[in-house]
């Protein structure tokens, strides 16, 4: 029953005809209550609004008698006070409705008047050159044409409107005056609408500021596509929950923060490629649908491949090794997949894997290559146009300096013991145990610089890693640990002896037959070789100082989320 119907019914009833209405400050709920004794409202005011108008039925409240439970009739003084407050609120609501109706009527009137106003392009003006906003500075004092989305919109009186335009390459303040901001399209314009603007690009007056230091004085414009009233701000905004932001990722990406992150990620990816090509590597494109495993079967995504079992790749390493005899040093930028149930802020089910493999190197050369990779990519990025975005995203960032701190696994175990860091059961980590995320993060955050953590126990690392010739209990493996993020890269020297590799397969209870294309590398001219895999997502998380890895992903995939 509507409020109006309840009010009308109340007018035709005496108080004695009405059932009491119950409220309870202790047990009531203004959202789910219905005024019954079993489901009372929380407040008297809510009960009055439920009735809608005087006369009110008996209003029951929590009894004040400590000796009994239940309800008493509301005191006359409290009833009088609440009735007065109800009247004030009702008048306020009625005035608000009236104002909203007047506003809506005025809006409709403005729309009707706006329909009579038309604009046309002045053909006597110089032809407008279509440009992207990233090159706007090169076209000052010229007539240009720009396409984009309304990022911000501000009306100043009837004769002036400011639009901050976004085209994905930059932002531009645009000024619309007189008839240009009085048309039917101008009255209906909302943020995230797409538009085409014509005008002359001018430097902003002294003492004023705008993106790029200039603004477009618009002389003609058109709407390409309208956005709903309120724009994207009604869907995603500063108060949106994490799940809402992820559900509406396609709209959240339009914000300044995420769009900057995406541009940084794009440039960083290019910097990795530039590094490799500058050092003579060849890029390969390994398969992502495989029938062998690389890092262990527990984290494989399995699927049906034309009636045969297959998996999404965990790493392209094994395939990259086969390319070395053909093209020498190789790398790839590809997706990898891990069916991990980890819910940490650095784990993903799908991530971008940058992997490299080099023949005829030793462990020291591998460590130097990794150090060179990280430092050179950071240096290239900071010198790029997108490096300027670090002023907004991570203004305190300092490029890592060579040489990185080098620490053996055994030294790390001892460091944790001296630091007093213990496991959940209260004991210290012992040699032979995997060092998980929390102690790893503790070390990096306290030490405060990149760490090359090396020489892990053979039993906690992958089967293909080469053992240290001076200590067969450990393997020539390395993890790169960064402050704030932890591990961003894992690598090792690979077993190059066929007999030793076959023994490792047997120990892992793996059938080597499906890996013939991999084991043949040791049969047809083996060589010492090593490589690594770097998580691009973690690298960008470290670079931009983000708290959670999902912030740097286009559409993040992790346990519980595979949409949109």
């Amino acid at each position: 029953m509507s409020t109006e119907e309840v009010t009308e019914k109340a007018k035709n009833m005496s108080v004695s005809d009405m059932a009491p209405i119950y409220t309870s400050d202790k047990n009531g709920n203004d959202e789910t209550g219905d005024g019954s004794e079993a489901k009372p409202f929380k407040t008297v005011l809510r009960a009055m609004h439920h009735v809608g108008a005087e006369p009110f039925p008996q209003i029951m409240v929590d009894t004040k008698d400590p000796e009994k439970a239940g309800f008493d009739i509301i005191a006359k003084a409290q009833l009088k006070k609440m009735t007065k407050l109800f009247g004030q609120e009702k008048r306020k609501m009625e005035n608000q409705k009236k104002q909203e109706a007047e506003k809506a009527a005025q809006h409709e009137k403005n729309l009707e008047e706006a329909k009579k106003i038309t604009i046309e392009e002045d053909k006597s003006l110089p032809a407008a050159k279509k440009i992207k906003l990233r090159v706007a500075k090169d076209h000052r004092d010229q007539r240009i044409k720009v396409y984009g989305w309304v990022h911000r919109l501000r009306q100043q009186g009837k004769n002036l409107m400011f639009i901050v335009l976004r085209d994905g390459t930059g932002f531009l303040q645009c000024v619309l005056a007189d008839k240009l901001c009085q048309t039917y399209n101008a009255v209906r314009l909302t943020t995230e609408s797409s538009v085409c603007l014509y005008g002359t690009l001018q430097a902003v007056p002294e003492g004023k500021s705008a993106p790029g230091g200039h603004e477009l004085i618009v002389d003609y414009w058109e709407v390409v596509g309208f956005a709903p009233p309120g724009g994207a701000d009604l869907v995603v905004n500063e108060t949106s929950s994490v799940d809402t932001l992820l559900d509406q990722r396609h709209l959240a990406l339009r914000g300044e923060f995420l769009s900057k992150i995406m541009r940084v990620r794009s440039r960083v990816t290019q910097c990795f490629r530039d590094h490799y090509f500058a050092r003579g590597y060849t890029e390969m494109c390994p398969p992502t649908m495989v029938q062998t495993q690389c890092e262990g079967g527990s984290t494989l995504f399995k699927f049906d491949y034309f009636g045969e079992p297959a998996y999404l790749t965990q790493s392209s390493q094994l395939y990259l090794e086969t390319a070395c005899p053909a093209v020498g040093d190789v790398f790839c930028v590809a997706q990898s997949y891990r069916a991990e149930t980890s819910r940490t802020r650095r784990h993903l089910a799908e991530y971008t894997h940058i992997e490299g493999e080099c023949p005829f190197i030793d462990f020291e050369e591998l460590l130097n290559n990794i150090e060179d990779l990280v430092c050179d990519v950071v240096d290239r990025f900071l010198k790029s146009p997108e490096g300027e975005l670090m002023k907004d995203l991570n203004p305190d960032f300092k490029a890592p300096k060579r040489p990185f701190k080098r620490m053996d696994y055994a030294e790390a175990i001892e460091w944790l013991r001296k630091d007093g860091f213990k496991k959940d059961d209260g004991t210290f980590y012992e040699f032979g145990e995997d060092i998980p995320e929390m102690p790893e993060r503790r070390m990096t955050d306290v030490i405060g610089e990149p760490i090359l953590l090396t020489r892990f126990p053979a039993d906690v690392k992958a089967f293909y890693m080469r053992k240290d010739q001076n200590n067969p209990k450990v393997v020539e493996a390395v993890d790169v640990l960064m402050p704030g993020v932890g591990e961003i890269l894992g690598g090792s020297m690979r077993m190059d002896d066929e007999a030793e590799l076959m023994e490792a397969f047997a120990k892992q209870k793996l059938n080597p037959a499906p890996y013939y294309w991999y084991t043949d590398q040791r049969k047809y001219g083996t060589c010492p070789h090593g490589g690594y895999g770097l998580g691009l997502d973690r690298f960008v998380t470290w670079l931009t100082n983000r708290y959670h890895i999902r912030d740097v992903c286009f559409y993040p995939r992790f346990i519980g989320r595979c949409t949109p």
Side-chain angles (χ1 to χ4, degrees), residues 29 39 128 137 147-148 159 179-180 208 256 276 293 300 309 317 369 398 402 409 436 446 455 458 492 537 540 549 563:
N29 191 306
K39 297 177 67 177
K137 192 173 183 179
Y147 288 87
N159 298 314
K179 288 176 64 176
L180 293 175
K208 303 290 183 181
E256 293 181 36
Y276 285 121
Q293 66 186 50
L300 285 167
Q317 175 211 318
N369 286 352
K398 291 181 175 60
R402 290 182 257 196
Y409 165 91
V446 172
R455 295 181 174 84
S492 76
D537 312 272
V540 177
I549 198 168
T563 187

Side-chain angles (χ1 to χ4, degrees), residues 357-552:
E357 293 291 326
C358 302
F360 300 106
I361 63 170
D362 58 28
F363 189 44
E364 187 64 25
E365 288 175 301
L366 175 64
L367 297 181
N368 291 337
N369 286 352
I370 290 170
E371 200 173 75
D372 179 47
L373 170 73
V374 173
C375 292
D376 184 55
V377 167
V378 169
D379 185 54
R380 289 173 185 271
F381 169 72
L382 293 178
K383 291 177 180 177
S384 73
E386 285 74 18
E388 288 294 309
L389 297 175
M390 293 291 279
K391 294 177 181 177
D392 298 326
L393 297 173
N394 189 8
D396 297 326
F397 178 79
K398 291 181 175 60
K401 296 180 180 179
R402 290 182 257 196
F404 291 178
K405 181 178 181 61
R406 301 191 180 192
M407 178 187 287
D408 283 351
Y409 165 91
E411 294 177 277
I413 292 293
E414 184 60 26
W415 188 96
L416 291 171
R417 183 178 292 274
K418 289 181 179 179
D419 183 65
F421 195 100
K422 296 180 180 180
K423 295 181 288 186
D424 291 340
D425 63 5
T427 62
F428 288 107
Y429 287 92
E430 301 291 342
F431 188 93
E433 295 180 322
D434 186 32
I435 301 178
E437 179 186 5
M438 290 304 293
E440 189 178 83
R441 289 283 299 277
R442 170 68 181 173
M443 280 195 303
T444 55
D445 292 347
V446 172
I447 293 173
E449 61 178 302
I451 302 172
L452 293 174
L453 189 60
T454 60
R455 295 181 174 84
F456 295 82
D459 291 339
V460 302
K461 284 297 183 179
F463 71 92
Y464 51 75
M465 294 184 176
R466 191 172 75 178
K467 293 180 179 177
D468 190 313
Q469 302 303 306
N470 298 318
N471 182 5
K473 291 183 179 180
V474 301
V475 288
E476 292 182 321
V478 56
D479 285 350
V480 176
L481 310 181
M482 287 296 187
V485 178
E487 181 190 345
I488 64 167
L489 179 151
S492 76
M493 294 299 291
R494 318 308 192 187
M495 285 185 182
D496 52 70
D497 182 78
E498 183 183 9
E500 185 181 12
L501 183 60
M502 288 303 181
E503 184 180 330
F505 270 105
K507 187 175 182 180
Q508 293 293 317
K509 298 181 180 179
L510 285 174
N511 179 11
Y515 295 83
Y516 70 93
W517 47 271
Y518 177 67
T519 59
D520 272 359
Q521 303 306 306
R522 282 75 179 166
K523 184 184 297 184
Y524 292 87
T526 191
C527 72
H529 60 288
Y532 51 82
L534 177 145
L536 176 66
D537 312 272
R538 289 189 185 181
F539 188 90
V540 177
T541 300
W542 162 69
L543 191 67
T544 57
N545 194 31
R546 295 302 98 196
Y547 176 77
H548 205 292
I549 198 168
R550 63 175 171 244
D551 291 342
V552 306

Side-chain angles (χ1 to χ4, degrees), residues 107 148-155 161-166 184-195 221 223 225-234 254:
H107 182 67
W149 291 266
V150 178
H151 190 66
R152 285 194 290 272
L153 179 65
R154 178 166 61 92
Q155 190 86 30
M161 183 164 71
F162 293 91
I163 291 175
V164 174
L165 190 72
R166 182 190 76 244
Y184 185 55
N185 282 348
V187 176
R188 295 190 298 153
L189 194 63
T190 59
T191 55
E192 294 308 322
S193 297
S194 49
V195 295
W221 70 287
V223 172
F226 278 107
D233 287 343
L234 293 182
R254 300 183 179 202

Side-chain angles (χ1 to χ4, degrees), residues 108-177:
E108 288 299 319
K109 183 180 178 181
N110 291 343
L111 285 175
E112 290 303 315
E113 291 178 356
K115 289 178 181 179
K116 302 172 186 177
I117 301 174
T118 59
I119 57 174
E120 293 182 358
E121 184 181 4
D122 186 349
K123 299 297 183 182
S124 67
L125 294 173
K129 182 178 180 180
K130 180 182 175 183
I131 69 163
K132 294 285 188 181
L133 296 185
R134 69 173 183 271
V135 296
K137 192 173 183 179
D138 299 331
H139 297 274
R140 286 187 180 179
D141 300 318
Q142 297 177 22
R143 188 166 184 261
I144 59 173
K145 174 170 70 172
V146 289
Y147 288 87
W149 291 266
V150 178
H151 190 66
R152 285 194 290 272
L153 179 65
R154 178 166 61 92
Q155 190 86 30
Q156 189 170 309
K158 187 178 180 181
N159 298 314
L160 198 60
M161 183 164 71
F162 293 91
I163 291 175
V164 174
L165 190 72
R166 182 190 76 244
D167 75 344
T169 72
F171 296 87
L172 177 63
Q173 178 171 286
C174 309
V175 184
L176 286 71

Side-chain angles (χ1 to χ4, degrees), residues 11-148:
K11 288 179 181 178
N12 298 322
M13 295 177 64
S14 66
V15 172
S16 61
D17 294 328
M18 301 180 189
I21 191 164
Y22 290 83
T23 69
S24 172
D25 188 56
K26 299 175 185 175
N27 306 311
N29 191 306
D30 283 345
E31 299 296 325
T32 61
D34 59 13
S36 65
E37 188 172 359
K39 297 177 67 177
F41 292 118
K42 183 176 180 63
T43 64
V44 173
L45 200 58
R46 176 68 182 88
M48 288 180 168
H49 279 296
H50 177 73
V51 175
E54 296 185 72
F56 299 115
Q58 281 187 343
I59 297 177
M60 311 300 289
V61 298
D62 292 317
T63 181
K64 294 183 179 178
D65 188 344
E67 299 298 323
K68 67 174 185 177
F71 298 88
D72 289 332
I73 299 174
I74 189 172
K76 290 183 178 180
Q78 186 184 3
L79 178 63
K80 183 178 179 180
K81 178 182 177 182
M82 298 310 298
T83 302
K84 181 179 180 181
L85 186 59
F86 168 77
Q88 291 173 347
E89 282 203 2
K90 189 173 182 183
R91 287 190 294 274
K92 183 178 178 181
M93 290 170 62
E94 289 172 349
N95 287 336
Q96 187 175 344
K97 285 183 180 179
K98 183 179 178 182
Q99 290 173 3
E100 289 175 355
E102 290 174 351
K103 187 177 179 181
Q106 184 61 48
H107 182 67
E108 288 299 319
K109 183 180 178 181
N110 291 343
L111 285 175
E112 290 303 315
E113 291 178 356
K115 289 178 181 179
K116 302 172 186 177
I117 301 174
T118 59
I119 57 174
E120 293 182 358
E121 184 181 4
D122 186 349
K123 299 297 183 182
S124 67
L125 294 173
K129 182 178 180 180
K130 180 182 175 183
I131 69 163
K132 294 285 188 181
L133 296 185
R134 69 173 183 271
V135 296
K137 192 173 183 179
D138 299 331
H139 297 274
R140 286 187 180 179
D141 300 318
Q142 297 177 22
R143 188 166 184 261
I144 59 173
K145 174 170 70 172
V146 289
Y147 288 87

